[in-house]
Amino acid sequence: TPDRQKPFLVYSNRIVTRVLGTSFYIDTKTASGKEEVSVKTGKVLVSSNEKISLKGPSIIVTPNQKAIYEPERGIFEATLVETPRPILREAAPIPVITALSFTYDQVKLEKVFRDLSDVYGIEIIPENSNLLQCRFTGDVSDEDLFTKLKIICLTTRSNYEVQGTRILIQGKGCD
């Protein structure tokens, strides 16, 4: 039960995760020696674990994002999880996603990117506004987010790059 006077804190080797109503995963045994917190739903506040307190650097992580703590430098990096999943909105009447349709017929990328952004909760930013006028035809419903983006980018002669917790789409646009 949420209680502001008694927050739910999860302590690991070098970080503290403050639960803000969510489901998440903490990995303290990465090959690189860094610690990671990935969020599935809701959000968490992740801080360095300095003498069991919530002092020092901190970061808020939301669905499809993860915080990576670099102990040597004492900093956090925010990025996307390896496989982003559709997120459930609190206002949704049914908390289960049964089927998402990403089938398009000559639809402007402006709508395609907005759909992807809404479903995955990830900001998608075109570096060139002309890209938004490109049209896409295809069914990418059964693909993961990054495969969807690869297919869309291949058909529009563009590419994407993950920058922190956002996705940048690069390309000239369509004629």
Side-chain angles (χ1 to χ4, degrees):
T1 305
D3 183 346
R4 290 190 182 270
Q5 302 303 317
K6 297 178 185 173
F8 178 39
L9 305 174
V10 178
Y11 294 91
S12 62
N13 295 335
R14 293 179 283 245
I15 60 176
V16 179
T17 301
R18 181 178 183 153
V19 179
L20 305 172
T22 189
S23 59
F24 59 96
Y25 177 76
I26 299 175
D27 186 357
T28 61
K29 299 184 189 280
T30 64
S32 65
K34 299 174 183 175
E35 294 185 36
E36 299 180 0
V37 177
S38 303
V39 174
K40 183 176 178 184
T41 62
K43 64 181 174 180
V44 296
L45 172 71
V46 184
S47 304
S48 62
N49 188 352
E50 296 175 12
K51 298 183 181 175
I52 313 298
S53 70
L54 288 174
K55 297 179 181 170
S58 63
I59 189 169
I60 291 180
V61 189
T62 58
N64 287 323
Q65 295 180 358
K66 69 179 173 180
I68 302 171
Y69 182 65
E70 297 183 28
E72 301 83 33
R73 297 180 17 198
I75 62 167
F76 286 98
E77 173 190 356
T79 190
L80 297 178
V81 296
E82 285 78 18
T83 307
R85 305 249 184 250
I87 60 173
L88 301 174
R89 300 286 181 201
E90 292 176 14
I94 300 172
V96 177
I97 296 176
T98 53
L100 294 171
S101 176
F102 290 98
T103 303
Y104 301 98
D105 184 13
Q106 290 297 307
V107 174
K108 288 185 180 180
L109 285 187
E110 180 176 25
K111 177 174 177 13
V112 175
F113 291 152
R114 185 174 53 244
D115 289 352
L116 292 172
S117 183
D118 288 346
V119 169
Y120 290 92
I122 298 170
E123 188 176 10
I124 299 174
I125 304 167
E127 80 170 356
N128 180 344
S129 62
N130 290 335
L131 279 168
L132 297 177
Q133 302 311 308
C134 294
R135 295 189 177 270
F136 175 72
T137 297
D139 183 358
V140 292
S141 300
D142 293 333
E143 307 297 338
D144 65 76
L145 174 62
F146 294 126
T147 302
K148 283 175 173 63
L149 288 170
K150 284 178 190 172
I151 292 167
I152 293 165
C153 288
L154 280 171
T155 63
T156 58
R157 292 177 293 202
S158 55
N159 56 40
Y160 76 92
E161 176 182 323
V162 174
Q163 290 188 344
T165 58
R166 303 186 293 179
I167 297 172
L168 179 66
I169 307 293
Q170 302 163 324
K172 293 182 181 179
C174 301
D175 299 328

